[in-house]
């Protein structure tokens, strides 16, 4: 009975969004994998990473069915990789290789993969798996996987890249300073060429960005959901979209 009620409610929410203004780019902080695993009684909380990674595919299907053409998922920050135990990080890297990269790279997929982050901080096998996913996917929907990612690092890397480009061209530093603009820096971000997120969803009840898309999120709408990522249901997603559609976006005004 509960499943029937759930399905009916999901259909009702979907109908309500039929004529609503939906985001064209949704970004998600997939938080709470370990806490979900403990809640479910798993002895090893790292198991939550696998359930969380497998859940990405289902969430992407929801986005595609609603015509949301750009999705960004925050898989692991540089802090995660630096501060977590080596055994947990190794497990997470295997999950990224086996679940995220391999599944997304299957022939005939709907998603074209882009990667954001400092890939040189990842193990060789993980880096190569992600590069294969990027080269082997060309679907109509765009997915950005943020791994080994930190928003401040991204801005530093963008400015460094901009300066390197001008240095190679022989541009005097004072001229670079005179020409510096937000658009010039944005052109060197990991996400260059992609639209900024309209909506950022964070699961687990935490209400902060944790360094996620600091530059790109300047005018994003934020939505915080209490459920842990592996338990994030379609009705939770539809509620986030309903909240977004009811807001009047001021874009800095």
């Amino acid at each position: 009975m509960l499943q029937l009620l759930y399905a009916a409610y999901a259909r009702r929410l979907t109908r309500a969004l039929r004529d609503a203004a939906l985001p064209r780019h949704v970004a998600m902080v997939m938080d709470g994998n370990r806490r979900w695993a403990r809640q479910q009684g798993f002895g090893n909380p790292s198991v939550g990473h696998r359930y969380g990674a497998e859940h990405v595919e289902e969430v992407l299907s929801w986005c595609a069915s609603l015509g949301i053409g750009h999705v960004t998922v925050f898989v692991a920050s540089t802090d995660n990789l630096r501060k977590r135990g080596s055994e947990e990080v190794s497990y997470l890297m295997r999950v990224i290789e086996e679940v995220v990269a391999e599944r997304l790279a299957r022939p005939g997929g709907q998603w074209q993969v882009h990667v954001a982050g400092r890939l040189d901080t990842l193990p060789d096998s993980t880096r190569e798996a992600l590069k294969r996913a990027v080269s082997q996917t060309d679907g109509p929907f765009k997915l950005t996987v943020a791994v080994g990612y930190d928003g401040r690092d991204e801005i530093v890397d963008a400015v460094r890249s901009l300066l390197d480009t001008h240095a190679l061209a022989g541009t005097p530093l004072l001229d670079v300073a005179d020409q510096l603009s937000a658009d010039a820096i944005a052109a060197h971000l990991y996400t260059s060429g992609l639209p900024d997120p309209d909506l950022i969803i964070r699961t687990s009840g935490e209400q902060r960005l944790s360094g996620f898309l600091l530059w790109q999120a300047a005018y994003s709408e934020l939505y915080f959901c209490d459920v842990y990522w592996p338990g994030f249901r379609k009705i939770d997603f539809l509620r986030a979209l309903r909240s977004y559609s009811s807001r009047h976006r001021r874009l800095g005004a």
Side-chain angles (χ1 to χ4, degrees):
M1 178 61 73
L2 185 60
Q3 289 298 320
L4 291 175
L5 291 173
Y6 169 84
Y9 183 42
R11 287 194 297 270
R12 179 183 171 187
L13 286 170
T14 302
R15 285 195 300 270
L17 292 169
R18 190 166 296 157
D19 298 318
L22 296 179
R24 67 169 181 158
H25 182 178
V26 174
M28 289 175 272
V29 182
M30 308 183 301
D31 197 21
N33 292 326
R34 288 155 50 89
R35 281 169 284 173
W36 177 87
R38 291 192 188 98
Q39 187 183 71
Q40 298 299 311
F42 288 103
N44 179 6
S46 293
V47 170
H49 293 313
R50 179 168 292 276
Y51 280 87
E54 291 175 345
H55 191 42
V56 171
E57 197 168 19
E58 183 176 15
V59 176
L60 290 178
S61 72
W62 304 339
C63 294
S65 69
L66 291 166
I68 296 171
H70 293 267
V71 176
T72 299
V73 292
F74 198 3
V75 175
S77 69
T78 51
D79 276 347
N80 291 148
L81 303 183
R82 186 169 56 246
K83 295 180 180 179
R84 297 278 172 88
S86 59
E87 185 175 337
E88 180 182 354
V89 170
S90 295
Y91 182 86
L92 177 58
M93 293 299 104
R94 289 198 303 274
V95 166
I96 292 171
E97 295 169 27
E98 297 168 6
V99 180
V100 178
E102 288 186 11
R103 290 192 184 184
L104 291 172
R106 287 180 302 196
Q110 289 185 292
W111 295 87
Q112 180 178 7
V113 178
H114 175 81
V115 179
R118 289 183 170 175
L119 295 188
D120 58 353
T121 64
L122 306 179
D124 291 345
S125 58
T126 308
R127 184 168 59 251
E128 292 306 313
L130 289 170
K131 286 181 177 179
R132 283 195 301 273
V134 170
S135 64
Q136 294 175 9
T137 55
D138 60 355
F141 297 96
K142 315 301 179 186
L143 172 68
T144 300
V145 178
V147 57
Y149 177 89
D150 178 272
R152 289 171 295 188
D153 288 343
E154 179 179 23
I155 296 169
V156 169
D157 288 347
V159 174
R160 182 181 292 118
S161 174
L162 184 152
L163 293 175
D164 286 346
T165 299
H166 282 287
L168 289 172
T171 309
L173 186 58
L174 287 177
D175 290 347
V176 176
D178 286 340
Q179 298 167 19
L180 193 62
S181 67
D183 287 343
I185 294 173
H188 291 266
L189 295 172
Y190 303 147
T191 58
S192 175
L194 300 173
D196 292 341
D198 302 299
L199 172 66
I200 297 178
I201 300 171
R202 178 167 186 158
T203 58
S204 87
E206 302 290 348
Q207 298 189 17
R208 60 181 182 275
L209 288 178
S210 297
F212 184 47
L213 300 179
L214 294 181
W215 181 283
Q216 300 87 336
Y219 299 122
S220 302
E221 298 294 328
L222 307 179
Y223 184 87
F224 301 104
C225 180
D226 287 337
V227 301
Y228 299 136
W229 172 254
F232 184 64
R233 304 163 299 175
K234 187 174 184 179
I235 60 172
D236 299 314
F237 181 61
L238 295 173
R239 284 169 174 165
L241 297 182
R242 181 179 63 183
S243 174
Y244 172 87
S245 69
S246 69
R247 303 179 189 182
H248 176 61
R249 300 193 71 199
R250 301 182 186 277
L251 300 179

